[in-house]
Amino acid sequence: MIHPLRGVDFAYRLKFWIGGAMMAKHWRTRSLGILALLVVLAVLAGCSPFARPTDPDEPAVPDTPRRVVIGQGTDVKSFDPPADWTSLAEWITQNAYDYLFYRSADQGEWIPELAYDWERRDELTYRFWIHEGVRFHDGSELTAEDIKYTYRRIIEGPTEMFIVSDQYQWIDRIEIIDDYTFDVISKEPDSLFIFKLSQGNTGAGIVNKEHTEAVGHDGLHREPMGTGPWLLKEWVRDEHVLFERNEDYWQTDRFPTYDELEYRIIPEASTRVAELITGGIHLAHGVMAPDESRINEASGVSAIWSESAQGFMLYPRQGVHPNHVGDPRLDREFTTRDPRIREAIELAIDKYALRDIEGGTGEAFRARLFRPLEEANPALFGPDACLYDPDRARELIGEAGYQPGEPYLFFDAREEWPFGDVGRTVVDMLEEVGFNVEARFQAESLWRSEVYHPAKNQELYLVDLGGHFNPFFGTYGFQSHIMENVEYTGQGSAPAGLDDLLKTAWTEVEDDTRRIQAYHEASQIIADERINIGLYQRSLLWGISDRIEWTPRGDVEIWGYDITLLD
């Protein structure tokens, strides 16, 4: 067995020993030239507002940290990895943690991180070897015990605390071989074994067992303890998150090249653009399409489009949440329980008109999986996925027993762009075919706390979901035991045959064609039953300063070490 990078601490220190020796060798021959240069610089420094003080008793002016600033609309909810699955929040959290694996920027390759090697030992068991000498932020060494603890904690924790708990129930047990070797045994064969243990699966950041047991969930919520490249320096909720570089970071090839990384929480997209143009931030997420020309006409900044693993969709509620029994608004027969109404909703919507709100660069879809995944059914994308037929929508409303203007829909959406604009356009289209729509638009923080997380959605809500190009992440919520648990989704019972198809998709490890076909057939059922109603897969517009180099990833995540600060 080859153990690359065994003894990371030694290799890390060796780099500085060699560098120091080389500096000593060259110093003697270059000292006179350097001395002359210093004299010139000293003279010039006397004219500089940043010159060192001449009074020896006066403190020196500290160097200003080199900082990259990112502007986005969403803050992190918790620094405990499995406690929040919001994509933008995860972008922030993952800076403090490392993973067993991560995926290349183009999503085409698995890259080992904490685990440098692995092998499949039988149809249920994978063995992993992790690097020695990897240190947590407190200086303690990572061992297999920390990894076992990370996953067992999610599996055994309550869903109310860990929203991603269901995603890890496939693990039967984890057996430690030694400090740097462990086996993960699944309950049944799993075609996405590696994916589920990677950066692509929410909550997979490895935590420090000793620290987490000492501070608990409430402590880890504000005090992340990972092995990642950045240490949390300051968090002011709904204002900013500031990281400082982990000077002892073990991955020298991914060592941050600047001192601090800041995420500024700027809810208004237009304000983010203004901050970009005036130099307040280096990178703006969620730029409005109308601001593309505004950015490109300014100096020192540019606007760029990228494909994404995100898409707008509608979720129709079909059942009553157990906690809402007795609430007159939530304990009632939802109009969307009728499949004819759900079909009428989809046929009422011109998906390409919605796409044009964001600049016309997305693609209509009816799916929950995203291209370019091979598991995504190609028949559910493109012009054939836009079923716009308002006349047939009106007929379906009549067939369901309603008069025009009678079927009631309560519609929830976020207020900020593009959610508000897309949502209001959807409402107009629904009302045009005869729906009676009561709409509520809220700031994201209120929408998440009052609608999304407590499952207080009614007939319809508009959501922008991601998937990390993870086929499991995009399909696990359609299992019977989840769909029939209206406390979780309120979507009603699962269609016949869907469970069997999903099980084939997840457990087929020998016949890849059969596995992919199962995903395609399952996706077709989900689309035809309108369990969720896909609208369009989005392209994203970014604003970027000329002071950095950065290329959007295929999963559109922002990793601090992908950014190069040029000044």
Side-chain angles (χ1 to χ4, degrees), residues 131-145:
H131 292 295
E132 296 182 29
V134 176
R135 301 286 173 179
F136 285 102
H137 296 161
D138 65 355
S140 61
E141 186 179 11
L142 169 78
T143 69
E145 190 64 47

Side-chain angles (χ1 to χ4, degrees), residues 305-485:
W305 286 95
S306 72
E307 296 180 348
S308 81
Q310 295 174 241
F312 271 119
M313 55 195 75
L314 297 171
Y315 270 81
R317 175 172 279 282
Q318 300 180 44
V320 177
H321 191 301
N323 292 344
H324 302 156
V325 173
D327 185 323
R329 293 187 64 82
L330 301 171
D331 183 7
R332 58 185 176 84
E333 185 78 11
F334 291 102
T335 312
T336 42
R337 189 174 185 86
D338 190 321
R340 294 166 295 188
I341 292 296
R342 298 198 301 274
E343 183 178 358
I345 289 171
E346 182 170 21
L347 270 58
I349 296 172
D350 183 347
K351 298 177 182 180
Y352 283 104
L354 298 181
R355 181 199 67 172
D356 290 345
I357 294 172
E358 286 202 84
T361 59
E363 182 177 33
F365 81 135
R366 303 185 64 212
R368 178 61 181 87
L369 298 180
F370 300 100
R371 284 182 168 179
L373 275 177
E374 59 184 353
E375 291 88 350
N377 187 339
L380 301 178
F381 290 81
D384 290 341
C386 183
L387 306 182
Y388 182 54
D389 188 344
D391 291 336
R392 178 57 183 151
R394 295 184 185 97
E395 292 175 359
L396 285 164
I397 289 173
E399 292 172 13
Y402 295 97
Q403 296 298 316
E406 187 177 11
Y408 175 78
L409 300 176
F410 191 93
F411 178 87
D412 269 303
R414 290 157 55 179
E415 179 62 70
E416 71 273 13
W417 191 92
F419 297 87
D421 288 18
V422 171
R424 287 182 174 86
T425 305
V426 168
V427 169
D428 289 343
M429 292 175 178
L430 293 174
E431 290 180 337
E432 179 66 26
V433 301
F435 283 107
N436 173 20
V437 184
E438 181 180 352
R440 176 175 58 182
F441 295 86
Q442 297 176 292
E444 181 185 7
S445 58
L446 285 175
W447 181 83
R448 292 194 181 281
S449 64
E450 296 185 7
V451 178
Y452 186 62
H453 289 299
K456 289 187 177 181
N457 52 300
Q458 297 181 46
E459 270 85 2
L460 280 179
Y461 72 98
L462 176 70
V463 64
D464 166 39
L465 293 181
H468 299 286
F469 294 118
N470 182 343
F472 171 74
F473 188 80
T475 54
Y476 86 98
F478 299 107
Q479 303 167 84
S480 287
H481 78 276
I482 292 180
M483 288 191 60
E484 292 169 3
N485 176 10

Side-chain angles (χ1 to χ4, degrees), residues 210-388:
E210 183 177 354
H211 172 80
T212 304
E213 288 180 335
V215 304
H217 169 68
D218 291 340
L220 196 62
H221 163 70
R222 296 196 63 90
E223 302 174 32
M225 181 62 68
T227 61
W230 298 97
L231 289 77
L232 181 63
K233 184 176 182 179
E234 182 178 68
W235 177 26
V236 180
R237 185 181 290 277
D238 296 325
E239 291 186 15
H240 77 142
V241 178
L242 179 61
F243 292 97
E244 59 184 348
R245 180 171 62 193
N246 177 6
E247 298 294 346
D248 298 319
Y249 189 52
W250 64 281
Q251 293 193 85
T252 55
D253 60 333
R254 304 178 81 192
F255 190 76
T257 58
Y258 48 95
D259 304 312
E260 294 182 341
L261 174 64
E262 180 181 8
Y263 290 81
R264 287 185 55 194
I265 312 307
I266 308 173
E268 291 294 330
S270 59
T271 305
R272 292 195 291 274
V273 171
E275 286 289 322
L276 176 74
I277 292 174
T278 57
I281 62 177
H282 296 90
L283 182 63
H285 168 263
V287 173
M288 297 187 294
D291 281 331
E292 181 177 9
S293 59
R294 176 186 172 197
I295 294 173
N296 287 331
E297 290 168 3
S299 61
V301 294
S302 57
I304 57 174
W305 286 95
S306 72
E307 296 180 348
S308 81
Q310 295 174 241
F312 271 119
M313 55 195 75
L314 297 171
Y315 270 81
R317 175 172 279 282
Q318 300 180 44
V320 177
H321 191 301
N323 292 344
H324 302 156
V325 173
D327 185 323
R329 293 187 64 82
L330 301 171
D331 183 7
R332 58 185 176 84
E333 185 78 11
F334 291 102
T335 312
T336 42
R337 189 174 185 86
D338 190 321
R340 294 166 295 188
I341 292 296
R342 298 198 301 274
E343 183 178 358
I345 289 171
E346 182 170 21
L347 270 58
I349 296 172
D350 183 347
K351 298 177 182 180
Y352 283 104
L354 298 181
R355 181 199 67 172
D356 290 345
I357 294 172
E358 286 202 84
T361 59
E363 182 177 33
F365 81 135
R366 303 185 64 212
R368 178 61 181 87
L369 298 180
F370 300 100
R371 284 182 168 179
L373 275 177
E374 59 184 353
E375 291 88 350
N377 187 339
L380 301 178
F381 290 81
D384 290 341
C386 183
L387 306 182
Y388 182 54

Side-chain angles (χ1 to χ4, degrees), residues 24-38:
K25 175 181 178 182
H26 290 289
W27 171 254
R28 289 187 295 273
T29 61
R30 300 172 61 189
S31 58
L32 291 177
I34 293 174
L35 180 61
L37 178 61
L38 290 174

Side-chain angles (χ1 to χ4, degrees), residues 78 80-91 93-94 99 101 150-151 154-155 162-170 194-206 368 452-453 466-470 472-474 476 557:
S78 171
D80 192 348
D84 192 356
W85 64 3
T86 307
S87 296
L88 270 69
E90 189 179 5
W91 296 354
T93 304
Q94 67 187 6
Y99 301 79
F101 316 92
T150 294
Y151 295 127
I154 300 173
I155 294 167
F162 301 140
I163 193 170
V164 299
S165 177
D166 283 331
Q167 297 180 36
Y168 289 86
Q169 298 305 318
W170 60 276
I194 300 301
F195 212 139
K196 293 177 181 179
L197 298 175
S198 77
Q199 175 271 337
N201 205 26
T202 306
I206 303 302
R368 178 61 181 87
Y452 186 62
H453 289 299
H468 299 286
F469 294 118
N470 182 343
F472 171 74
F473 188 80
Y476 86 98
E557 294 194 350

Side-chain angles (χ1 to χ4, degrees), residues 92-108:
I92 298 175
T93 304
Q94 67 187 6
N95 288 286
Y97 296 95
D98 285 322
Y99 301 79
L100 293 182
F101 316 92
Y102 65 97
R103 212 160 188 178
S104 60
D106 63 2
Q107 306 298 290

